[in-house]
Amino acid sequence: MLGNRKIAILISGRGSNMLALMDAIESGRLNAEIAVIISNRSDAKGVELAKARGYTTVVIPSRGLSKQEHEKILIAELKWHNPALICLAGYMRLLSPEFVQTFPQQILNIHPSLLPAFPGLEVQEKALEYGAKYSGCTVHFVDEGCDSGAIIAQAVVPIHDEDTIQSLADRILVEEHKLYAKAIQFILDRKWHIAGRRVLGIKI
Ligand code: GRF
């Protein structure tokens, strides 16, 4: 698979990280090719946006299917496109161990906190409630757990006294849009290795 720079992007919602990756590729900041955008929701805003930009966009609805049935279709679709990386961008479903093991070290996620702090959902609210002074975003490999895979890159943002959930989310999102493309570039360049949980060689 050497030289394969194709990525698949999995979404469930508005798709702003997906758009940021498209912008990075189209402007030459990210040397990659989008093989396919896949959504588990037909009503995701991101689906409309991806189609409008002319990208191959596939909806594989999860509703009404078991996780196993849904993932079987998803895996077949992904294998057909043969991406080097599967980039989760607001994909709201946990992947099964079988799925993760089908694509070892090929699945990336972006999460709007400084992991391991605040995994899961409603993370800006949790960071504010906890009284953290900094938050940020994390790009990590996806493993069998929830937001628990090896960390690839992080960006830090301050939390201000007057912050609301929305203002903090907005400040983090700006960093997400920059960080994901840079992290993907490094992973595709294959100048990294893993020692235990440490992904080494990434310079962002
Ligand atoms: C982002 O905050 C991302 O970190 C998280 O879900 C959100 C998706 O937003 N995993 P978008 O769909 O990319 O706009």
Side-chain angles (χ1 to χ4, degrees):
M1 210 173 287
L2 204 64
N4 179 1
R5 301 193 71 94
K6 287 193 288 182
I7 64 170
I9 304 177
L10 269 55
I11 61 168
S12 300
R14 69 185 164 178
S16 74
N17 276 288
M18 171 199 76
L19 288 181
L21 293 179
M22 290 172 179
D23 289 344
I25 291 169
E26 289 171 13
S27 67
R29 279 178 289 125
L30 170 56
N31 177 14
E33 181 195 333
I34 296 176
V36 65
I37 313 289
I38 302 178
S39 173
N40 65 310
R41 296 185 60 121
S42 58
D43 60 351
K45 180 82 182 146
V47 169
E48 209 180 294
L49 296 170
K51 282 185 182 165
R53 285 177 77 146
Y55 287 93
T56 304
T57 308
V58 177
V59 175
I60 304 176
S62 45
R63 190 174 293 177
L65 296 181
S66 68
K67 185 185 269 296
Q68 203 184 9
E69 287 166 336
H70 181 251
E71 285 190 349
K72 196 174 166 202
I73 304 169
L74 187 56
I75 288 171
E77 183 72 29
L78 284 166
K79 283 191 169 168
W80 192 80
H81 291 282
N82 185 33
L85 292 180
I86 298 163
C87 304
L88 310 186
Y91 187 66
M92 297 306 286
R93 287 174 64 83
L94 274 182
L95 299 169
S96 71
E98 293 71 31
F99 186 102
V100 172
Q101 284 152 22
T102 305
F103 302 102
Q105 288 184 0
Q106 283 182 278
I107 314 171
L108 269 51
N109 183 41
I110 183 148
H111 180 78
S113 78
L114 292 177
L115 292 171
F118 314 122
L121 298 173
E122 286 150 15
V123 296
Q124 288 86 5
E125 195 177 346
K126 286 179 193 160
L128 286 171
E129 272 175 8
Y130 196 87
K133 297 297 184 194
Y134 289 91
S135 188
C137 52
T138 304
V139 177
H140 62 93
F141 282 112
V142 173
D143 68 5
E144 286 83 352
C146 174
D147 302 322
S148 56
I151 291 172
I152 296 165
Q154 293 184 305
V156 180
V157 306
I159 297 181
H160 302 311
D161 289 355
E162 58 279 13
D163 263 328
T164 61
I165 295 170
Q166 192 58 52
S167 66
L168 178 57
D170 291 346
R171 190 176 308 119
I172 293 172
L173 197 62
V174 171
E175 298 306 318
E176 290 186 42
H177 292 166
K178 293 187 268 185
L179 189 71
Y180 212 2
K182 288 184 192 170
I184 290 170
Q185 178 77 35
F186 264 98
I187 298 299
L188 286 174
D189 285 347
R190 302 193 177 280
K191 291 180 189 150
W192 54 276
H193 65 281
I194 291 200
R197 282 192 52 93
R198 301 182 73 198
V199 182
L200 302 173
I202 309 279
K203 291 178 185 65
I204 288 183

